[in-house]
Amino acid sequence: MEILNLKVEQYEGPLDLLLALISKHKIDIFDIPISEICDQYIAYLDAMRKMDMEVTSEFVVMAAELMLIKSKMLLPRTEESEDPRAPLVDALLEHQRAKAAAEFLKMQSAGHYDTFTKPASEPEKSDYSRGHAVELLTEAFARIADRVAARKLEGEPELFKRIEERYYSVEEKSQAILSYLDQRKNCSFIDLFLRVQSRSEAVAVFMALLELVRDGLIDVEGNGEDIELSLVDALD
């Protein structure tokens, strides 16, 4: 192994120094040449002392550990005996993972340190703001739904009772209601349900009507079954 020309700098600990040596020489961390690494490590400690840099006890302990592993590597080993380097390799891998995690968190912090969150705003109210009661439409729809169900079952062949009903979207019915009112300017609540063929279609029409009223596109007047619907633009 070539002589390591590292800048004599303060490492956070002995594992940092060992990882620097391994990286410098592109050594396989699972097959560390302990003799060479031990010599390089001790040479670094000597350089620190010559420059009056503090050599903490943990660096000295690691030097002793490396010399112990080096001596064990000289002894004959059987196939069943554990590799003396195994504990050191485990410690280096764990330290490497910790450094990678710390670096990732540092990058995340640098990228978001000046990011500020906006306080949650109050959700917009979706309550009806026009001059009518929701119960008015709900009660009227309940009566319409019962009529639709009775009309659908009356005289219907058994075959058609088993056929799955078509799916109706609220968006589809919203466009149909607006188009219908655009032609007539106004209509009764019952008029919207004259051609309804199923309870699911009636629900879609009713939900579309509620959304249009909520958005201020349709005005509702009357009471009981005498409910009139009209486009708001037609009144302005």
Side-chain angles (χ1 to χ4, degrees):
M1 179 183 292
E2 62 177 302
I3 298 299
L4 179 64
N5 294 318
L6 280 177
K7 290 183 179 180
V8 180
E9 57 185 78
Q10 197 74 27
Y11 287 92
E12 293 182 4
L15 292 175
D16 268 343
L17 174 55
L18 286 175
L19 286 175
L21 292 170
I22 290 171
S23 175
K24 172 66 177 179
H25 295 285
K26 299 179 181 178
I27 294 173
D28 182 0
I29 198 171
F30 294 99
D31 189 20
I32 300 173
I34 289 295
S35 180
E36 289 84 352
I37 284 291
C38 182
D39 294 342
Q40 291 287 322
Y41 183 89
I42 293 175
Y44 177 82
L45 296 190
D46 290 339
M48 289 179 66
R49 292 190 184 97
K50 288 178 182 179
M51 298 189 67
D52 294 328
M53 297 177 66
E54 181 183 3
V55 179
T56 59
S57 59
E58 59 182 353
F59 281 92
V60 177
V61 170
M62 179 58 72
E65 183 67 25
L66 289 174
M67 294 177 67
L68 178 61
I69 296 173
K70 180 179 178 180
S71 63
K72 288 182 177 180
M73 294 290 292
L74 298 175
L75 299 175
R77 287 188 297 159
T78 62
E79 294 182 359
E80 293 79 14
S81 60
E82 182 183 4
D83 190 334
R85 301 169 296 179
L88 177 63
V89 171
D90 292 340
L92 288 170
L93 289 174
E94 185 65 28
H95 189 67
Q96 200 173 48
R97 285 191 290 267
K99 284 175 65 69
E103 185 63 26
F104 172 77
L105 293 175
K106 180 180 178 181
M107 292 175 59
Q108 291 294 102
S109 176
H112 301 284
Y113 79 97
D114 58 348
T115 302
F116 303 94
T117 59
K118 179 183 177 182
S121 57
E122 291 292 332
E124 295 183 3
K125 294 183 179 180
S126 59
D127 299 336
Y128 291 100
S129 58
R130 303 187 66 82
H132 68 276
V134 178
E135 291 79 6
L136 182 66
L137 295 176
T138 304
E139 292 172 1
F141 174 72
R143 291 190 292 270
I144 291 293
D146 291 338
R147 294 179 190 176
V148 170
R151 184 173 70 239
K152 185 175 186 300
L153 294 175
E154 183 179 353
E156 185 179 33
E158 185 63 27
L159 172 64
F160 292 102
K161 291 182 182 178
R162 296 195 300 268
I163 295 178
E164 184 178 358
E165 293 182 347
R166 176 193 165 195
Y167 170 77
Y168 298 92
S169 69
V170 174
E171 292 77 12
E172 173 190 354
K173 291 303 178 183
S174 295
Q175 292 300 321
I177 293 173
L178 289 175
S179 177
Y180 186 78
L181 285 175
D182 185 54
Q183 297 175 11
R184 293 169 173 75
K185 301 307 177 185
N186 58 70
C187 71
S188 68
F189 181 81
I190 297 176
D191 287 343
L192 295 181
F193 297 89
L194 291 178
R195 297 179 179 82
V196 168
Q197 298 298 317
S198 65
R199 184 181 291 270
S200 63
E201 184 180 5
V203 171
V205 172
F206 181 63
M207 294 301 296
L209 178 59
L210 289 180
E211 288 194 2
L212 292 173
V213 174
R214 180 197 63 190
D215 295 339
L217 299 177
I218 292 180
D219 189 39
V220 179
E221 293 182 355
N223 54 66
E225 296 189 7
D226 187 20
I227 300 176
E228 287 292 323
L229 309 174
S230 57
L231 288 176
V232 172
D233 290 340
L235 298 177
D236 296 338

